[in-house]
Amino acid sequence: MRELWGMLPDELTALMQTWGEPAYRGRQLFKDLHKGLDFADMTVLSKPLRDRLRGQMPVPPVTVLEEHASASDGTVKLLYGLSDRNCVEGVLMRYHYGVTLCVSTQVGCAMGCRFCASTLNGCVRSLTAAEMVGQVLCANRLLRPENGRISRLVLMGSGEPLQNYDEVLRFIRLVTHPDGLNLGARRISLSTCGLPDMIRRLAGEGLELTLSLSLHAPDDATRQTIMPIARRYTIQETLDACEAYYRATGRRLIIEYALIDGVNASQEDALKLSRLLRGRNCHVNVIALNSVRERQLYGASEAQIARFMECLTANGVSVTRRRTLGDDIEGACGQLRKKHLEEHGQ
Ligand code: SAH
């Protein structure tokens, strides 16, 4: 049976009916599950029903194994444990407009980007929708003492969300449901290394998600040296799919570009990127690469980043620097899980 936290209200209603309960129990249960209540605290439900639910789902799909708070900016890095002893990570980031949670969609990742720690041991498995909901519920529990809650999500943790399409879409339908967490689709960013067919499919879902493309290179040859996916699809094919997404949803594309010293950060690269993106409905987010010593890839210097951004701006491309948060707590994708695996084996 699918985990309760991954079931939509209609599905819970059907389940309750097969258990001989009235239909409205489904909606009550959905609301309480997404408030993050333990079964014992679901007092709108009868005691026998709560016991039966607990018997069915004895453990929550996700628990917090480790919690590292940054002393400098309030960022919290989380290591979550799953019921099969795998683990994934997340980051909670505080901005003036609210708290954003970075959500993982797979244990590890199969895409093989050279600069990314999540992919070093490949993809172990995809997460279920309930395991993604569980990450948000854990983060909300953490924020409860300060009366806070997660208001934005970025699907930028480990994994390629478009390779786990059905469960990711289900997750989005669950967290945007008005009886549940009720997050606005516009406040959810889906980040992908760029799978054109899947981007086109997403365009047809009628959801106003923000799409982020991890581009990281101004031309195919450079992209192929750091991202294996670039050998399957050209930048042009990928940007065409993103354009179709924009036409269907009206959501401006975000381009993610991590500046890597000696790879993609020169003035010539900046000019090429400007030519590629000028006139498109997109915004570039630059970030200094979190250095990956195992691969001898290092972030560009502050001066290089400033020059790169000036070039884009001068050429009419909209660009901002993404704030680097949680530098002191292994904030980058996959770093904390990697460290945990090295220290604990499993
Ligand atoms: N698979 C998806 C989402 C997960 S990665 C994707 O590729 O977009 C989330 C973002 O972090 C991507 O833009 C990815 O390229 C970036 N990233 C991964 N490793 C990084 C590193 N060491 N430094 C900076 N950004 C990194």
Side-chain angles (χ1 to χ4, degrees), residues 113-119 214-217 225-227 256-265 285-302 304-305 308 321-325 327 331-333 335:
C113 300
R114 281 184 56 78
F115 47 81
C116 182
S118 295
T119 205
S214 299
L215 185 64
H216 304 314
T225 65
I226 46 175
M227 299 178 70
E256 289 160 87
Y257 198 104
L259 288 162
I260 313 173
D261 188 33
V263 175
N264 64 2
N285 243 325
V286 296
I287 181 171
L289 185 86
N290 275 299
S291 303
V292 187
R293 272 163 212 91
E294 293 91 337
R295 298 279 169 87
Q296 273 109 48
L297 293 174
Y298 301 96
S301 69
E302 288 301 317
Q304 260 180 312
I305 297 171
F308 195 93
R321 169 96 184 255
R322 196 199 289 157
R323 257 173 80 202
T324 310
L325 294 173
D327 246 5
C333 210
Q335 289 181 350

Side-chain angles (χ1 to χ4, degrees), residues 65-136:
L65 292 181
E66 290 179 25
E67 189 186 321
H68 303 266
S70 159
S72 50
D73 56 31
T75 300
V76 184
K77 181 92 207 203
L78 297 164
L79 188 73
Y80 306 103
L82 309 176
S83 45
D84 63 357
R85 294 178 53 86
N86 274 305
C87 60
V88 291
E89 53 198 282
V91 193
L92 182 156
M93 294 160 286
R94 294 164 204 270
Y95 295 96
H96 63 274
Y97 48 75
V99 190
T100 300
L101 183 70
C102 176
V103 174
S104 288
T105 58
Q106 295 179 313
V107 182
C109 183
M111 304 320 291
C113 300
R114 281 184 56 78
F115 47 81
C116 182
S118 295
T119 205
L120 289 173
N121 296 308
C123 178
V124 178
R125 69 170 174 87
S126 286
L127 297 189
T128 62
E131 288 171 325
M132 294 179 243
V133 170
Q135 295 171 47
V136 187

